[in-house]
Amino acid sequence: MFVDVAFPISGFQTFTYKVPVNLVKHIEIGSRVRVQFGAQKTNGIITGIKQKTSYFGKVREIRGLVDDVKIMTPELWKLIQWMSHYYMTSVGQVAKAVLPKNLSTRYTPPKNWMVEPNPIFADEDLKKTKRRAPKQYEIFKQILTADHPLKVSSLKNNSSGVLASCRGLEKRGLVKLFEETSLPDVTGFTFDPIYKKVDFNDHQQEAVSQITLAMDSNIYTPFLLHGVTSSGKTEIYIESVRHCLDQNRTAIILLPEISLTPQIAGRFRAVFGDTIALWHSKLTQAQRSWTWKEICKGSFQVVIGARSAVFAPLKNLGLIVVDEEQESSFRQDSPAPRYHARDVSLVRAKYEAACVVLSSATPSLESYYNHLNKKLTYLHLPKRYGGAKYPQVHLVDMLNENDESGKLGQIFSGLLQDKIEARLQKNEQIILLQNRRGYSPVVRCSDCGEIVMCPQCKVALTFHIKESQLICHCCGHFETQRWEVCISCQSPNIKYSGTGTQRVEAILKEMFPKAIVERLDMDTARTAKGLTSILKKFSNGEIDILLGTQMIAKGLDFPNATLVGIINSDLGLHLPDFRSGERIFQLIYQAAGRAGRNTKLGEVVIQTYSPDNPVIKNAAQLNMKRYYNIALSERNELQYPPFSWLAKIEIIGKNQTSVELLSKRIAKTLKGDYKGLKILGPVPCYLEKLRNHYRYQIVFKSIKEKDVNGKKLHHFIQTNFMDIQKKFRIGQNRINIHFDPLSLI
């Protein structure tokens, strides 16, 4: 027997291997195998099985199977094939994303030597030990005073050969030694169980009824659950999952931000106990390995996690929920496959005959448009749960504020300061959003205008005062030496401009010295424990003011948070990207929804320099329908999604001239143009240089009126870019293909 094996390489070819007799009964399409590939040992995935081969050269044998239980289901294999075709990525690369190579069902947690006192030992043996082996005696005293068995490794400070010493104590009859499997702690990234008594209102009951009815039919059904902030969407998920488990099926809950996981996990744990698995990038390798193995074994019935959780190898999948489906973090732009977890969820649910619920208070324009065109079943929750009222929103024109105060560049308006003071006096909590981390985003010379730039990217370095570093938020480059004089004109007039979360934090602590202020951004949430600790403290009322980036703007539920302040709502508003307005509207609307989620009335203060901008104005009025109508009209006029299919070819290389010439050569050789296709470029990307590589792009728009299902565009891209390396002689450059890109920046 022979098999075709694909590897995680960009090429679409497969390689033939012979199957040893002892593995013939265990081989299936989709099985992962260990093989010799060239000079190295690696893993591949079987894409085909055959009895004979037409290859006359030497055929190597498979060395073994990666997994000891069956992982690949027919539905998951179909998903891999679809992703390979749709995103023009080799099966091997897709399989690596779905079944990461460093995870295996053969994973065995490490074992630790444990030691405890022998309940019956002779005093004479103890006296001999004290006299003849004083080091062993000192170790025994620690063991004797402990109220539980100790790890032998925890005693290392007392003796370099601690295990040998414990073996000596065991021979003397003083202790017992045994091995214990060390399971990774996977409970740290979650709140304690959050118990609630839930009485559904009519809208919630209708939503649950429709979802459960669809699950009973075992027919693929996609829903758009559009619920205003604090409308109880999480409780809808829980009731739907409960029904799913009653059918002996499994469920996946996808979240856009790691910061949302602890609270939702705590709520799910209260209902479903330890049948919940968490899956996200903050897990350690041991936690990931153990969790993945247990998912494969069927120990977990529900997986909650970030975008890669869509590939969780659950059997008999019945429900996928995509929470905050509009979020860009569901999109993976690197490495290949460059997929969107929302779209993959829809396809996986279709193959599994499952329900998929796309949920948000501010749906993506694509999902909203699909609901208008009856492609998604619409479920609406128009009221806040439990009688909570919408917050009162104040829009502050910072230009007028600067004029009235006579101070330029104010960070806090007088209104926001007063509101913070009032809430602190009432022992209520405040959430402040500043969607830019660091202290000063721009460091420039006041005389010549020179800006400190990243040497690897064409972006300004951000000053972080706590670390006393200039850091690039694109590539991570940092410089520890502060600019004292300009490198161009030697002027000492260096200005640290702009406002990041660190600067806001410093000002808050100065303005409100008695308040407890904590900051939550990528700098303070580097570990799962750090992030969870801050959220727990805020939930328990130990923090008065929680300041953060967009991590705190959505999904979180803190009943005592009655004031939300948006420091600068204009950040990102004027980027040259067709989605910039949509993103800012959603961010403001979602952030406003963190206020007044219980019986206490909430308030929101939105600070802006563009009060007449329709994005800001409609967000302040919490008028989603009006803004979406404006946005859809603009998209239709400019023929951007959802009125067209979009693809982007990104040309990347270290030599700018080479990248530019390759881009132009590609544009000239494009074939198969059709009516309804528009080609834009090639042009430099808005962020032209990133990580020491220059970037050009060619954008393709295929109008839906002429290309209803996008097949024309897909065929055009396949025809022109399937064999990139040979066709264009790209040399040291790279060409990345993006279908349905979220950004043209």
Side-chain angles (χ1 to χ4, degrees), residues 3 7 149 192 210 330 353 428 518 527 702 721:
V3 292
F7 298 99
D192 295 331
Q210 288 206 45
F330 283 124
E428 295 173 359
E518 285 282 1
T527 65
S702 187
F721 295 96

Side-chain angles (χ1 to χ4, degrees), residues 122-190:
D123 289 338
E124 185 62 31
D125 291 332
L126 183 59
K127 291 177 181 177
K128 286 181 180 178
T129 302
K130 184 178 181 180
R131 187 172 61 253
R132 298 178 180 177
K135 286 187 177 180
Q136 290 184 15
Y137 177 74
E138 291 300 320
I139 290 174
F140 179 71
K141 284 199 300 182
Q142 288 187 64
I143 298 170
L144 190 63
T145 56
D147 56 1
H148 56 80
L150 295 176
K151 281 185 183 180
V152 171
S153 59
S154 68
L155 303 168
K156 282 184 178 177
N157 290 336
N158 300 281
S159 172
S160 57
V162 65
L163 181 58
S165 296
C166 288
R167 290 192 192 281
L169 290 169
E170 187 179 39
K171 286 181 180 179
R172 298 174 187 274
L174 298 176
V175 302
K176 291 182 177 180
L177 270 173
F178 59 95
E179 279 189 302
E180 184 176 85
T181 300
S182 177
L183 294 178
D185 179 16
V186 293
T187 63
F189 199 70
T190 176

Side-chain angles (χ1 to χ4, degrees), residues 169 211 247 321 353 483:
L169 290 169
I211 295 170
Q247 293 182 316
V321 174
W483 253 32

